[in-house]
Amino acid sequence: MSPASAATVNERKAAVLAVRSLSVTFQSPTGPFEALRNVTLHVRPGEKIGLVGESGSGKSTIARVVLGLLQEERDVAVSGSVRLGLREILGDQSFIRESRGDRVSMIFQDAVSALNPTFTIGDQFKEVLRRRNPTISTAAALRRARVALADVYLHEPDRVLGSYVFQLSGGMSQRVMIALALINDPDLIVADEPGSSLDVTVQARTLHLMNDLIGRRRTSVMFISHNLGVVREFADRVYVIYRGGIVEHATTAQLFADPRHPYTRALLAAIPRLDQRGIPDVPETIPGFADPLIEHEGCEEPSLASA
Ligand SMILES: Nc1ncnc2c1ncn2[C@@H]1O[C@H](COP(=O)(O)OP(=O)(O)OP(=O)(O)O)[C@@H](O)[C@H]1O
Ligand SMILES: [Mg+2]
């Protein structure tokens, strides 16, 4: 086998994303704040992982490191290892800039503020398509964009392509963002609370649409949510994060059948039920917080060599 084809085989076997011992500390006027402590997780090709934890636990910080966004900020120290395929991205900003929107793309909670307000939707499709294919003509880019918009059931593609984001509804903007995130067939999508700024019925429809499109392409996904009920529907495996550290890692079935960490149990108990009055809170202090990471059978992190 030639060295080139051996590399391709290795790349295919490799995890799409492998995060090892990731720590992030923000410097603030009140002193350093450790937002992530020793986080290790991986996503294999075609796999959907859920990352759940309460507000402020560090979920979006992981997403921002993977997208290379945090490394561009000042007053933040990042250590550990983050690999996309076989490539280490920490310290390689040019690679991550090239990969963003191409090998790895992001679906944000609030599409209206994530889309660029100063360019039409058509121009934003052109820009994203040109990351993969710099010489694509405007006509060809708009043809691809029309197909992508039809895939997300936006039935007036020319009106959408000529619009600015403020001229679209919240649900339409979220569909545009899903179409943009998928158009270059990325290896990995990071979906950070997608649609949670929408009303619950629009959110549910948006999530099912996203899940359907991703499932057809076998794209890998890191699905971030504070809502275990939503993650249950979408993820193959789940990492539970608490105050910047992963506390439990299991397949989705294992986690729901046998939640072991007190924090996971508290999160499960906090899923609102229709027969309950009010929304239960996750308690401020979780007994057993000092427990080490709980990994269920078959969910041990692969070694770096096989990750
Ligand atoms: N640029 C920053 N400077 C200082 N602290 C920050 C910065 N960004 C995030 N943090 C802190 O890091 C912690 C984790 O934030 P993060 O946004 O990752 O939480 P999250 O789990 O995504 O929460 P949510 O569910 O509310 O979106 C929070 O305490 C937050 O205040
Ligand atoms: Mg967040």
Side-chain angles (χ1 to χ4, degrees), residues 12 36 55 66 83 88 101-102 109 130 139 150 172 193 198 200 207 213 215 218 233 281 287 295 307:
R12 239 182 273 131
L36 293 180
S55 186
V66 170
R83 286 192 194 178
E88 175 62 53
D102 182 5
Q109 172 178 11
R130 283 184 178 146
M172 288 168 86
E193 308 265 5
L198 304 171
V200 281
L207 287 174
L213 292 171
R218 306 252 326 125
E233 284 198 48
D281 284 329
E295 287 188 311

Side-chain angles (χ1 to χ4, degrees), residues 125-126 129-131 133-142 144:
F125 270 101
K126 271 189 269 171
L129 282 162
R130 283 184 178 146
R131 278 187 214 156
N133 177 2
T135 58
I136 191 169
S137 68
T138 295
L142 292 180
R144 293 264 324 263

Side-chain angles (χ1 to χ4, degrees), residues 23-283:
S23 295
V24 169
T25 302
F26 293 106
Q27 291 300 336
S28 73
T30 51
F33 174 73
E34 197 178 32
L36 293 180
R37 277 178 292 109
N38 212 17
V39 167
T40 292
L41 57 82
H42 71 283
V43 190
R44 291 195 184 279
E47 200 182 27
K48 295 185 273 186
I49 67 143
L51 180 61
V52 283
E54 68 189 332
S55 186
S57 54
K59 306 179 298 293
S60 296
T61 304
I62 297 179
R64 281 154 72 205
V65 174
V66 170
L67 270 287
L69 297 170
L70 202 64
Q71 296 86 309
E72 290 176 353
E73 285 182 23
R74 288 170 42 199
D75 299 330
V76 53
V78 183
S79 66
S81 161
V82 178
R83 286 192 194 178
L84 280 181
L86 294 178
R87 190 88 175 247
E88 175 62 53
I89 65 161
L90 286 190
D92 190 350
Q93 264 322 95
S94 61
F95 175 69
I96 190 69
R97 244 179 254 127
E98 284 162 27
S99 305
R100 211 184 292 148
D102 182 5
R103 294 183 64 159
V104 47
S105 63
M106 177 111 184
I107 297 173
F108 292 91
Q109 172 178 11
D110 179 3
V112 175
S113 49
L115 292 168
N116 191 324
T118 59
F119 290 104
T120 63
I121 302 300
D123 284 338
Q124 294 182 61
F125 270 101
K126 271 189 269 171
E127 202 228 304
V128 169
L129 282 162
R130 283 184 178 146
R131 278 187 214 156
R132 169 70 53 106
N133 177 2
T135 58
I136 191 169
S137 68
T138 295
L142 292 180
R143 264 199 309 276
R144 293 264 324 263
R146 279 189 206 98
V147 173
L149 290 176
D151 272 353
V152 294
Y153 301 103
L154 285 170
H155 296 300
E156 296 174 281
D158 289 316
R159 179 167 81 88
V160 174
L161 289 171
S163 298
Y164 292 88
V165 62
F166 72 87
Q167 295 169 316
L168 304 177
S169 74
M172 288 168 86
S173 308
Q174 196 76 38
R175 282 165 192 244
V176 166
M177 177 176 262
I178 292 170
L180 273 167
L182 289 169
I183 200 158
N184 281 336
D185 258 328
D187 302 332
L188 175 71
I189 295 211
V190 179
D192 192 352
E193 308 265 5
S196 61
S197 62
L198 304 171
D199 78 59
V200 281
T201 49
V202 181
Q203 181 190 9
R205 259 184 271 141
T206 309
L207 287 174
H208 281 107
L209 173 65
M210 186 188 86
N211 198 39
D212 179 42
L213 292 171
I214 287 171
R216 273 194 255 156
R217 288 170 170 77
R218 306 252 326 125
T219 315
S220 306
V221 186
M222 180 157 87
F223 187 89
I224 295 176
S225 182
H226 59 270
N227 184 337
L228 260 175
V230 172
V231 166
R232 181 181 205 165
E233 284 198 48
F234 295 104
D236 305 315
R237 278 189 298 121
V238 183
Y239 292 90
V240 180
I241 182 169
Y242 181 64
R243 296 194 184 170
I246 304 288
V247 293
E248 188 158 0
H249 171 204
T251 65
T252 307
Q254 286 169 331
L255 194 84
F256 279 85
D258 179 22
R260 294 188 189 159
H261 196 281
Y263 176 63
T264 313
R265 292 202 196 116
L267 265 185
L268 278 169
I271 297 177
R273 293 204 331 251
L274 289 178
D275 58 352
Q276 231 168 22
R277 277 173 192 275
I279 297 177
D281 284 329
V282 175

